[in-house]
Amino acid sequence: GAGVSQSPSNKVTEKGKDVELRCDPISGHTALYWYRQRLGQGLEFLIYFQGNSAPDKSGLPSDRFSAERTGESVSTLTIQRTQQEDSAVYLCASSLPPRTYEQYFGPGTRLTVT
Amino acid sequence: KDQVFQPSTVASSEGAVVEIFCNHSVSNAYNFFWYLHFPGCAPRLLVKGSKPSQQGRYNMTYERFSSSLLILQVREADAAVYYCAFPCAWGSQGNLIFGKGTKLSVKP
């Protein structure tokens, strides 16, 4: 079946602009995660959704970052007033409880802030 | 604050057995997960568990605070980044804490 998809695959934006990154999880997966991977760094947890609610937003680096999820499907990660340090690959993953930790990842969105 | 530790790079030669080590400092973690990531592609789960396990050429060892991923008969195509991860709290709703990844290079 279809895996996790993300769009766009690449995004170049100017500093100060807002960007929206989209994630389509595997159908039926109620849990959804956003991660960030900066150049040369590991995966950094940003936010987790169970259904529509986000019980863990602890990883969001600043109030410029927000995310929402519609139903138990699409999620959007929004970065306002982008900064150069926001340049990274943003990865989305989904899973189906009770096998919550078996996360299926999308290919990521490469964001470059110039 | 780093909680998961794994080497940044490991080098090997084709046909060898490669061991990638990981340890953490979280007292109530009870499982290890190993993910494989080819840059530009989606990371995928290789092996997981709270006891030693095997999945094809991938073996996982397990102890309370550490785990090793062993890749048997390593190939050039295995060159990628390998992440270890574990749940961030007992009864957690699903968050994994990832290490920074180990980049494996394989000489022919």
Side-chain angles (χ1 to χ4, degrees):
Chain A
V4 177
S5 61
Q6 294 184 243
S7 60
S9 55
N10 277 285
K11 175 72 176 179
V12 180
T13 190
E14 292 180 354
K15 178 182 172 181
K17 295 281 179 70
D18 297 352
V19 294
E20 282 190 355
L21 312 180
R22 177 186 169 110
C23 172
D24 284 88
I26 292 173
S27 178
H29 280 195
T30 56
L32 186 146
Y33 313 80
W34 283 99
Y35 296 88
R36 175 170 74 174
Q37 184 180 30
R38 289 169 158 163
L39 187 64
Q41 302 294 313
L43 296 175
E44 176 188 2
F45 168 77
L46 297 179
I47 189 170
Y48 155 70
F49 286 92
Q50 178 55 49
N52 291 344
S53 66
D56 191 342
K57 304 179 183 180
S58 62
L60 292 177
S62 77
D63 58 8
R64 296 186 295 104
F65 286 72
S66 63
E68 62 179 25
R69 190 177 184 194
T70 307
E72 291 187 342
S73 58
V74 174
S75 175
T76 303
L77 177 70
T78 302
I79 309 172
Q80 297 177 308
R81 305 180 302 281
T82 51
Q83 303 293 313
Q84 286 186 331
E85 63 262 27
D86 298 334
S87 295
V89 175
Y90 289 82
L91 288 156
C92 173
S94 70
S95 66
L96 180 63
R99 304 174 86 94
T100 311
Y101 301 118
E102 293 184 23
Q103 298 182 13
Y104 294 82
F105 282 81
T109 294
R110 180 176 296 279
L111 175 66
T112 304
V113 181
T114 60
Chain B
K1 176 180 174 184
D2 288 347
Q3 293 180 297
V4 187
F5 307 95
Q6 53 181 131
S8 58
T9 60
V10 167
S12 182
S13 300
E14 269 203 324
V17 175
V18 170
E19 182 174 14
I20 302 174
F21 183 75
C22 175
N23 70 293
H24 68 76
S25 56
V26 178
S27 60
N28 57 358
Y30 59 95
N31 251 322
F32 270 93
F33 295 77
W34 284 94
Y35 280 81
L36 161 66
H37 187 202
F38 291 103
C41 298
R44 67 178 179 91
L45 181 64
L46 279 177
V47 289
K48 63 177 174 69
S50 57
K51 58 183 179 180
S53 60
Q54 180 175 2
Q55 188 76 23
R57 292 187 299 115
Y58 304 103
N59 283 355
M60 185 187 92
T61 68
Y62 175 84
E63 292 186 21
R64 183 71 177 83
F65 290 99
S66 66
S67 173
S68 285
L69 175 70
L70 293 107
I71 308 173
L72 309 179
Q73 297 177 314
V74 73
R75 307 163 184 163
E76 277 192 88
D78 293 325
V81 179
Y82 294 81
Y83 290 95
C84 67
F86 61 91
C88 67
W90 186 271
S92 167
Q93 298 182 67
N95 297 350
L96 288 172
I97 295 180
F98 284 84
K100 292 189 175 180
T102 298
K103 186 174 182 179
L104 171 66
S105 61
V106 181
K107 291 189 295 185

